[in-house]
Amino acid sequence: MVLDVSLDLTSVCVLDEEGAVVWRGKVASPPEALTEAIRKHAPSVVKIGLETGPLCTWHWHALRENGLPVVCLDARHAKAALSVQLKQD
């Protein structure tokens, strides 16, 4: 799963084990809304990629407190991950 966070909305992309898109959408950015969407669309999530940025610390701590396996990605790595999965659509 990859999260592209902005102030109002976060783009969420759920991938399966082979990297195919399972669900893609936009969710309100507060951590509570993200947690709800993750539990709904990816109940057995293994790893959540969160791009480093101004909101990263807030989201990382809140998602970890909610028991979610979030990791921070350098912006270049996040862009590479998103470009690979976009080609599969």
Side-chain angles (χ1 to χ4, degrees):
M1 169 178 286
V2 180
L3 303 178
D4 184 9
V5 180
S6 70
L7 192 55
D8 295 322
L9 291 174
T10 294
S11 297
V12 178
C13 185
V14 178
L15 306 171
D16 67 12
E17 298 82 22
E18 286 80 41
V21 175
V22 174
W23 183 81
R24 178 183 291 161
K26 293 191 182 269
V27 179
S29 288
E32 300 78 21
L34 289 173
T35 298
E36 183 179 325
I38 291 165
R39 294 212 166 113
K40 178 180 179 181
H41 297 288
S44 58
V45 65
V46 174
K47 200 161 282 190
I48 301 166
L50 175 64
E51 183 178 354
T52 57
L55 302 173
C56 177
T57 302
W58 175 44
H59 283 96
W60 187 86
H61 284 288
L63 295 175
R64 295 289 287 192
E65 286 174 8
N66 289 330
L68 296 171
V70 64
V71 296
C72 290
L73 302 170
D74 177 81
R76 291 171 294 167
H77 294 135
K79 182 178 179 182
L82 287 171
S83 67
V84 168
Q85 69 86 21
L86 287 174
K87 292 176 186 174
Q88 295 176 1
D89 286 342

